[in-house]
Amino acid sequence: MKINKQELLQFADQCVKCGQCLAVCPTYNLYQNEAESPRGRISLIQGLMHGHLDSTDKTTLLHLDHCLYCGNCESACPSGVNYIKLLDRSKQLYPVNAIASWQLDLLTNKKLFTPGRAASRFLPQRLKNHVPAIFQQALSLSTPKVKPVTYKAASATSDRKKIGIFTGCIGHQIDSKAINLTARLLDYCGLEAVIPRTQSCCGAIYQHEGHSDKAERLLQKNQQVFYHEDVEKVIFFASGCGTWLKQGDFSMPVIEATRFIASLDEVARFRASIEGKIAIHRPCSLDSSGKGWDIMLQLIQAIAGEQLVELPGNDSCCGSAGLHFLKHPQAARQLLAPKLQSLMDIAPRKLLTANTGCTLHFYNGIEERGLDIEVMHPAEWVSGLLLQGKDLSR
Ligand code: SF4
Ligand code: SF4
C-alpha cells in the first residue's frame, strides 16, 4: 500500500495534545517518559515527517517500536485520533528495529519453526550466538505440551452447516487443544468444522512490522481459502489475528470462537459445578467494540458463577502485544508482573485468555514463578466441560 504522507500528517494533526490518553497508556506508565506516550509518539511522527528529527536515530524510532498497539489511547481520545493506523503507516516509512520479512516468514512457518521448540537443545552454542535475537528469545520460551491440530477439508456430501476454523501460525500449536475441542463441540452440535490445511498466518505481525504488502497478501490468501471451502462463518481463537482478519474482505462473518460457541443452543442451556476459582484475562485486541468481551464474560460467568474472577488490571496490556514480548522481553516482564502478583493472591486453578501471545506470555510467567495455574483459551474450557462424558459418536 502506497503511503500518503499528507494523509498521515492529517491523522497526526487531529491530536490537540490534551494529554487525556496519557493515564491509560501502559508504556507511559512504565517508562514515565513523554516519548513513550501516545501524544509523545504522535509528536515524534510529526517531527520525523517535517524533517525536524533525524529519521535514522534509533532512540527516537525505538519509542515508536515500544508501543503495544493496545488501543487504550484511541478509546480515551476526545479528538478521535486514529492512532493505530497512524503508527502502522509511519512504521512503513521508518522501519528501524522492524523484523525483516524473511525472519517473519520463518517465525510464522508451521513446518519450520515453533517457539520453544525442543530442537533448540540440539543447536550448538556457537550457532545459537549467531541466531537473530528474536529467534533466541522465541526458542527460550516454554510451551504447553499439545497435540497437533487435526486439519479437515469440507465434506462434499454433508449438508451440515460448515464453520471454518482459522488456526493462525503459532496458534496452530499453542491453541491446538482449544481448536481440536471446539471442532468436536461443533460436530456434537450438528455442525461441520472445517480446518483448511492451506490457510496461513493472518498477516498482522507483518502489518505491525511495516510489511504492509505482505500482510495484505496473506489476508487475501486466507479469504480465498475459506471462500473455496464454502463455509458460513469463520471463527478465530487469537484475538490479535481476529483484529486483522476483520479488516479484510471476507465473504462470510468472521467472529471470535467463544462468541460463536455462546450462540449455540447446547451451550446456552449448559450449567456446571465448578471447583476452584477461574480467573479471566482480557486481551487488548479482543473486539475493540467491547462486545466480544462482554459475550465471553457472560458465558463464562453463567457457567462458573461466583468462581469467576476478572483479573485486576484487565484494562492494561500484559506486555505480550504481538512481537513485543519477543523484541522487548524486559519491558514485557515488567508489564506482566502485577498480573502475576494478582494471580498469586487469587490462586485460581485456571487462567482463561483468548489470545495466543498472551497465553504464551502468561504461561512462561506462571512457570517462572512456580505457580500451579493452567492457562487455557475460554473456548477450550467451555468445550471441554460440555463434552465431558458425552457420546461423541452421535
Ligand atoms: S487524547 Fe487524543 S488528542 Fe489528546 S493527546 Fe492523546 S491522542 Fe492527542
Ligand atoms: S496503543 Fe497502547 S501502548 Fe501504544 S500509545 Fe496507545 S495506549 Fe500507549
Side-chain angles (χ1 to χ4, degrees):
M1 184 198 299
K2 196 146 173 54
I3 303 294
N4 181 334
K5 283 196 179 186
Q6 206 50 43
E7 187 193 33
L8 268 194
L9 276 172
Q10 277 170 10
F11 278 164
D13 290 346
Q14 269 181 292
C15 172
V16 295
K17 308 290 191 283
C18 66
Q20 288 198 39
C21 51
L22 268 63
V24 298
C25 173
T27 54
Y28 177 69
N29 290 325
L30 178 67
Y31 295 97
Q32 291 292 305
N33 178 345
E34 174 76 18
E36 295 287 351
S37 75
R39 182 175 65 182
R41 291 193 179 106
I42 292 168
S43 297
L44 291 178
I45 291 168
Q46 287 169 318
L48 287 163
M49 295 194 72
H50 286 300
H52 302 149
L53 290 173
D54 177 2
S55 62
T56 60
D57 179 48
K58 286 196 177 179
T59 313
T60 302
L61 298 173
L62 260 181
H63 294 308
L64 304 185
D65 198 52
H66 285 161
C67 176
L68 304 160
Y69 282 93
C70 68
N72 280 7
C73 49
E74 283 195 354
S75 309
C77 177
S79 300
V81 173
N82 202 336
Y83 171 84
I84 299 290
K85 211 175 238 178
L86 172 65
L87 183 70
D88 251 0
R89 297 201 182 159
S90 305
K91 279 183 161 185
Q92 290 170 53
L93 293 173
Y94 312 108
V96 170
N97 204 41
I99 303 298
S101 188
W102 69 266
Q103 292 186 346
L104 295 179
D105 291 347
L106 266 179
L107 268 177
T108 58
N109 187 312
K110 293 181 220 173
K111 290 189 190 128
L112 288 181
F113 187 82
T114 45
R117 195 172 173 171
S120 72
R121 288 202 301 269
F122 304 111
L123 211 58
Q125 192 57 44
R126 65 190 157 77
L127 276 184
K128 266 187 196 164
N129 295 340
H130 295 289
V131 170
I134 192 147
F135 289 97
Q136 292 189 26
Q137 192 56 35
L139 288 168
S140 74
L141 295 173
S142 293
T143 51
K145 286 191 178 51
V146 289
K147 285 187 180 163
V149 163
T150 310
Y151 289 97
K152 197 171 152 299
S155 139
T157 51
S158 165
D159 57 0
R160 290 181 296 164
K161 284 183 184 169
K162 296 179 178 64
I163 306 298
I165 294 186
F166 180 77
T167 60
C169 48
I170 291 173
H172 90 283
Q173 180 198 12
I174 308 300
D175 293 328
S176 62
K177 267 191 189 170
I179 293 167
N180 289 336
L181 266 173
T182 302
R184 284 171 62 194
L185 178 68
L186 297 188
D187 196 38
Y188 176 75
C189 295
L191 301 163
E192 182 183 350
V194 178
I195 315 180
R197 193 180 284 279
T198 49
Q199 61 181 299
S200 61
C201 164
C202 68
I205 60 170
Y206 288 85
Q207 175 70 6
H208 295 328
E209 293 300 310
H211 308 295
S212 177
D213 288 348
K214 175 86 189 237
E216 291 284 343
R217 281 202 301 279
L218 289 170
L219 193 53
Q220 282 164 18
K221 180 187 170 182
N222 285 314
Q223 283 166 199
Q224 288 298 317
V225 166
F226 285 102
Y227 174 77
H228 287 301
E229 294 286 356
D230 198 22
V231 295
E232 275 202 5
K233 290 186 173 68
V234 174
I235 60 172
F236 60 84
F237 290 80
S239 56
C241 300
T243 306
W244 178 238
L245 292 174
K246 283 180 179 184
Q247 292 187 35
D249 195 17
F250 280 78
S251 53
M252 68 293 288
V254 177
I255 56 178
E256 199 279 325
T258 324
R259 189 173 170 183
F260 178 71
I261 288 174
S263 70
L264 300 170
D265 286 346
E266 286 82 347
V267 177
R269 293 193 299 267
F270 179 70
R271 296 293 175 270
S273 167
I274 306 298
E275 279 178 32
K277 296 255 178 269
I278 305 291
I280 188 162
H281 161 253
R282 176 187 175 145
C284 315
S285 48
L286 187 63
D287 198 341
S288 46
S289 70
K291 219 175 162 198
W293 168 248
D294 291 346
I295 293 171
M296 179 183 292
L297 200 60
Q298 278 166 19
L299 173 65
I300 309 296
Q301 178 100 58
I303 299 172
E306 289 183 355
Q307 299 292 47
L308 178 68
V309 184
E310 281 187 62
L311 199 61
N314 258 345
D315 53 357
S316 191
C317 177
C318 67
S320 145
L323 291 182
H324 177 268
F325 76 126
L326 297 178
K327 291 174 87 176
H328 309 292
Q330 201 185 338
R333 275 205 177 88
Q334 284 174 274
L335 290 163
L336 186 67
K339 295 178 190 290
L340 291 177
Q341 185 56 53
S342 296
L343 285 174
M344 288 164 84
D345 297 340
I346 299 163
R349 289 181 66 186
K350 297 181 196 302
L351 170 69
L352 308 183
T353 181
N355 187 46
T356 317
C358 306
T359 302
L360 207 46
H361 194 36
F362 269 104
Y363 183 86
N364 279 268
I366 284 170
E367 191 188 70
E368 266 173 40
R369 303 228 175 172
L371 306 178
D372 185 15
I373 302 169
E374 193 179 359
V375 188
M376 60 168 62
H377 196 286
E380 177 188 344
W381 184 71
V382 175
S383 301
L385 279 173
L386 211 140
L387 291 173
Q388 250 171 29
K390 294 281 191 307
D391 174 9
L392 298 180
S393 62
R394 80 174 208 183

